[in-house]
Amino acid sequence: RKLASSVDATDDRGLQAAHRHALGLAAYFRGRYEEAAAFVREAIHLALRGDDSDRLWKAWVALAQIAAQRGQFEEARRSLDFASAAASQFDASDERDAMFAHVRGVVEFRAGQPHAAKAAFETALKTRNQHASPISLGQTLSSLSAVETVLGHLREASDLAQKSLQIFTLELGPQHPSVLDGQNNLGASLLMQLRADEALPHLRAALAAREAALEPGHLRLLSSQFNTAQALLETGDAQSAAALLQAAIDQVLRSEDPPPDDLAEHEARLALALARLGRRVEADELAKRALERVSTPQVHQRVLHLAGCTALELGQTVSGTKRLSAAVRANAPDPAGASENRLVTSNCNEGVRTR
């Protein structure tokens, strides 16, 4: 921001575009997505005026990532298509193609399309296993671990998370955000395997560092809060879990653009915690509110599952069984992992967040 006046005083559209792009990325990594989108759109406009095709495709990629975090998935896909078109005039680049595939995987994962996300990440991995920097390789391994966790392929997810965590720790140091992503994803995979005692140290480490580094309501912070709360629930500390989830919900409600699916999933998990604490009326109302709020199919399945578990905790056997059965049907597992997915979905400790 301090550079803005001196940069704007020049006639260098490329420099101005780079400056706006940098501001957009800074806002993005702090979780201020609306502000980030405005800066990056300005970068795109300046790059077009300055005929800076290299900056243009990079800015379109950034806009795709921002749109995905805001739940605007069609805009994210269009932005990636524009990025690909802008980059097509340059010589072929395996790493650029791998980066496009990786970002497309991120978009599809956020959109609730884990199979499409897996295909995109595997495409990126083919190149990055051979040519990429260790950090780029670690990013794709970590993202693929998140997808495999959601698909119920838990052994594969744990192996990928361990590999990415080793790479990030060696290359970047223990407090880097990518290391925290790896810890969160490894903890999520362990939770899905009902190994909450092993998961909790990883999740607490990621949560503590993210609380210190990120603004309230940031999606990565919310992911850590959610998973740590689940681990606390599974280890019998419903009181701490409820307090953590309530804080997360309050942060989401205060954010500039509250994502309804994130809010619904936190409310559904809090409802289960409240049910285990004997706060029956609050739990029942909160579970119903979460079901009304949710929008995407993948998150709807998870909220259905949590609402079913809440109903069972409250002694509502018919309602709970119906919700859990609907969650199993909505899960639509792939043939290779069908039995594993059904096992996870029938367990009332399921519902982690990978990111």
Side-chain angles (χ1 to χ4, degrees):
R1 291 184 186 276
K2 291 179 180 178
L3 287 171
S5 58
S6 57
V7 168
D8 290 345
T10 73
D11 293 326
D12 189 339
R13 301 299 183 205
L15 178 62
Q16 292 170 358
H19 175 258
R20 298 308 192 276
H21 189 184
L23 279 172
L25 292 177
Y28 169 78
F29 286 116
R30 297 184 71 183
R32 291 153 57 173
Y33 301 120
E34 185 174 353
E35 184 180 3
F39 280 130
V40 173
R41 287 194 183 99
E42 193 174 351
I44 289 170
H45 177 68
L46 289 164
L48 285 167
R49 289 176 62 191
D51 197 25
D52 186 347
S53 297
D54 185 58
R55 178 62 53 189
L56 182 61
W57 75 259
K58 291 174 182 175
W60 277 120
V61 168
L63 190 60
Q65 293 173 295
I66 295 165
Q69 295 295 341
R70 300 179 73 193
Q72 299 168 345
F73 304 118
E74 288 307 313
E75 180 180 348
R77 293 180 182 113
R78 284 195 301 271
S79 296
L80 275 180
D81 290 340
F82 288 139
S84 181
S88 63
Q89 64 181 281
F90 297 104
D91 292 339
S93 165
D94 289 338
E95 175 49 29
R96 186 173 61 236
D97 291 342
M99 187 268 288
F100 278 136
H102 178 94
V103 175
R104 195 169 295 279
V106 171
V107 171
E108 297 304 330
F109 187 53
R110 283 288 298 166
Q113 301 295 326
H115 294 284
K118 180 178 178 178
F121 287 134
E122 286 179 338
T123 297
L125 195 58
K126 288 177 184 177
T127 296
R128 289 185 163 178
N129 265 327
Q130 300 176 25
H131 306 297
S133 69
I135 295 170
S136 295
L137 174 60
Q139 289 171 338
T140 299
L141 289 170
S142 180
S143 296
L144 188 54
S145 167
V147 174
E148 297 286 27
T149 297
V150 167
L151 290 174
H153 305 157
L154 305 180
R155 288 184 295 275
E156 294 90 336
S158 292
D159 290 344
L160 290 164
Q162 288 279 15
K163 289 178 183 176
S164 67
L165 190 55
Q166 289 170 2
I167 291 171
F168 288 143
T169 303
L170 179 63
E171 297 289 330
L172 301 170
Q175 293 302 310
H176 191 275
S178 293
V179 175
L180 305 181
D181 288 348
Q183 287 182 317
N184 185 63
N185 289 350
L186 179 57
S189 177
L190 292 169
L191 274 177
M192 292 280 277
Q193 298 174 62
L194 309 185
R195 296 158 63 185
D197 288 333
E198 296 174 62
L200 197 52
H202 294 288
L203 297 173
R204 278 181 162 152
L207 175 61
R210 286 174 169 179
E211 284 178 333
L214 301 176
E215 293 185 353
H218 193 289
L219 288 176
R220 278 175 162 75
L221 177 55
L222 293 175
S223 178
S224 279
Q225 290 168 324
F226 187 95
N227 285 342
T228 305
Q230 179 175 325
L232 290 167
L233 268 177
E234 292 183 26
T235 54
D237 190 354
Q239 190 72 49
S240 296
L244 186 56
L245 287 164
Q246 187 62 66
I249 289 169
D250 291 343
Q251 290 170 16
V252 174
L253 290 172
R254 287 195 298 268
S255 64
E256 64 181 19
D257 191 13
D261 285 343
D262 289 302
L263 186 55
E265 202 168 353
H266 278 71
E267 288 176 333
R269 176 60 64 183
L270 178 57
L272 180 56
L274 294 176
R276 292 180 179 177
L277 290 170
R279 295 161 63 177
R280 300 175 59 83
V281 174
E282 295 172 81
D284 190 40
E285 291 178 352
L286 200 57
K288 291 175 180 175
R289 188 190 310 161
L291 285 169
E292 292 172 357
R293 194 189 300 276
V294 70
S295 59
T296 61
Q298 181 185 351
V299 179
H300 184 247
Q301 181 266 329
R302 296 201 294 267
V303 171
L304 261 176
H305 173 88
L306 291 166
C309 293
T310 298
L312 292 181
E313 284 283 339
L314 297 174
Q316 301 168 359
T317 306
V318 174
S319 175
T321 301
K322 285 183 178 179
R323 288 171 177 173
L324 288 174
S325 297
V328 171
R329 290 194 299 272
N331 201 23
D334 63 293
S339 61
E340 199 168 13
N341 275 343
R342 288 198 183 98
L343 174 64
V344 169
T345 308
S346 65
N347 166 24
C348 274
N349 285 326
E350 184 269 349
V352 300
R353 295 288 298 281
T354 48
R355 198 174 285 122

